[in-house]
Amino acid sequence: MYNSIDEVMPILEKKGFNISDPWDIVDAFESIIADFAGSKYAVSCDSCTNAMFMSLKYLNAKGTITLPKKTYLSVPGMVIHAGCSIKFNEIEWSGTYQLNPYPVIDGASRFTKGMYEKGTFHCLSFHIKKILPICKGGMILTDDIDAANWFRLAKYEGRNSRIPHNSIDDIEILGWNFYMPPEQAARGIILFVKIPEVNKDSGGSWSYTDLSGFTAWEGNVVNSLIKKIDNN
């Protein structure tokens, strides 16, 4: 039977990582992607959508968030679930766009060396259709150590992944079940060493459906003037 953890060990040993615990593989994957992207820290989770959700919750986001009319279906719903309203604009984008006015980047369609947009919470996707197709996964790139530490707790129900389940006495924050398991991180590393450093964007405004008229958003959409923003 295929075992991604067994396959990844020689790769990590060659790169100088000391793996004594399965969660060390997750740490290694985060370190590898942060170095590749150009950020100080990277925090893995189970999807780009949940990476953006945690970023908005960390920022205590309120009010209206502007999104492109053409984007992935989960994004408007995530913004509403995070407690905000949405405003759709005609935004031309490739690879990434901002959840304006917050420094949160939907970077699901970009994976190339040096991609981190400084000063933001830049969220990645490892969906099966993306450039690094683990199956399902995400990551938050940031230079903010306090935010990174909060995300590490928040993605794992508020607890440290190194503490056994039956040893939890208390938690300091409310979290979610958004963590990436070691097996997925191992697969990410295995695939990462096989792909080019520079890759074309896998999506943009040309590749998604116009979501602005969907009935599910009714009552949560703020009317706005239509404008175009070239985000290339």
Side-chain angles (χ1 to χ4, degrees), residues 6 10 13 35 45 52 62 67 74 83 90 107 133 135 156 162 188 192 208-210 214 217:
D6 288 344
E13 289 171 4
D35 181 66
C45 60
M52 290 186 283
K62 297 180 180 6
L67 300 174
S74 70
E90 189 73 45
C135 180
Y156 204 59
R162 295 306 198 282
F192 174 80
Y208 288 97
T209 299
D210 184 342
F214 283 26
W217 325 132

Side-chain angles (χ1 to χ4, degrees), residues 5-20 25 28 32 189:
I5 291 181
D6 288 344
E7 185 177 347
V8 81
M9 292 305 293
I11 298 172
L12 293 175
E13 289 171 4
K14 187 175 181 180
K15 288 181 174 291
F17 288 100
N18 181 22
I19 306 299
S20 59
I25 298 172
I32 289 168
I189 295 167

Side-chain angles (χ1 to χ4, degrees), residues 106-127:
D106 181 349
S109 297
R110 178 169 294 169
F111 192 80
T112 196
K113 190 170 179 62
M115 64 190 155
Y116 175 55
E117 299 186 21
K118 297 292 183 181
T120 71
F121 299 125
H122 186 140
C123 302
L124 307 180
S125 173
F126 304 128
H127 185 270

Side-chain angles (χ1 to χ4, degrees), residues 34-47:
D35 181 66
F36 176 76
S39 61
K40 290 183 180 179
Y41 312 103
V43 182
S44 61
C45 60
D46 62 348
S47 71

